[in-house]
Amino acid sequence: MAQTKSETTSLSTTGTDSGALVSEHGRTSIADTVVSKIAGIAAREISGVHDLGGGAARAAGAIRERIPGSRTNMGQGVAVEVGERQAAADLDIVAEYGTSIPDLASAIRRNVKASVERMTGLEVTEVNITVHDVFLEDEARDSDPDAGRRVE
């Protein structure tokens, strides 16, 4: 379906008339890193998500977090493609043992889509999820004897 110029300029960031990404007054561009951070935070909000990222990304993140004053990279494990009006996200996750992976994936998709669309006005066309591992509390204690006692 082709859009006329007036239909194109009426697109807005919230689906209402509160502010257009593309209008006669200019264009708003949203960086990939902004969308990946929003998607990462939204995915972490879901119960059953232990961590984001594949093995190498998690290892690098663990090293970075041990450096005093460093922050968690909220975009870790998230790759996005952002266009003028649409975005797609690929997330790499570690699920907590006992969590239904299909239900977890569905909840992540809903939350990421809602958060990105609400905050950016971009239409989220897809959220692809790869489960790289399942987190077991016992494995964490075996590899790090202080894991159960550490207070952060």
Side-chain angles (χ1 to χ4, degrees):
M1 180 169 103
Q3 291 183 326
T4 66
K5 184 173 184 203
S6 63
E7 288 173 324
T8 302
T9 59
S10 68
L11 292 175
S12 67
T13 57
T14 61
T16 63
D17 294 333
S18 64
L21 287 175
V22 178
S23 74
E24 60 194 41
H25 300 290
R27 196 176 106 188
T28 302
S29 297
I30 299 171
D32 293 5
T33 55
V34 172
V35 177
S36 66
K37 186 179 275 191
I38 293 167
I41 292 168
R44 283 179 175 84
E45 290 174 345
I46 303 301
S47 177
V49 174
H50 175 72
D51 204 357
L52 267 63
R58 289 194 325 270
I63 292 168
R64 184 177 49 253
E65 286 177 7
R66 291 187 183 265
I67 299 169
S70 68
R71 296 182 187 160
T72 300
N73 177 3
M74 292 299 171
Q76 173 182 302
V78 181
V80 296
E81 292 181 28
V82 179
E84 284 189 24
R85 293 182 183 87
Q86 296 179 326
D90 295 327
L91 288 88
D92 298 325
I93 70 160
V94 176
E96 292 178 358
Y97 178 78
T99 302
S100 166
I101 291 174
D103 292 345
L104 179 62
S106 180
I108 292 168
R109 281 188 184 95
R110 276 193 310 270
N111 203 41
V112 167
K113 183 174 175 21
S115 295
V116 171
E117 288 181 349
R118 178 177 35 84
M119 293 181 71
T120 67
L122 296 167
E123 175 192 3
V124 177
T125 58
E126 62 183 18
V127 177
N128 300 309
I129 299 166
T130 302
V131 180
H132 281 277
D133 201 356
V134 174
F135 175 76
L136 299 170
E137 188 68 36
D138 292 341
E139 284 181 0
R141 285 193 188 125
D142 291 345
S143 66
D144 182 359
D146 295 329
R149 295 180 288 196
R150 186 177 300 134
V151 177
E152 296 184 28

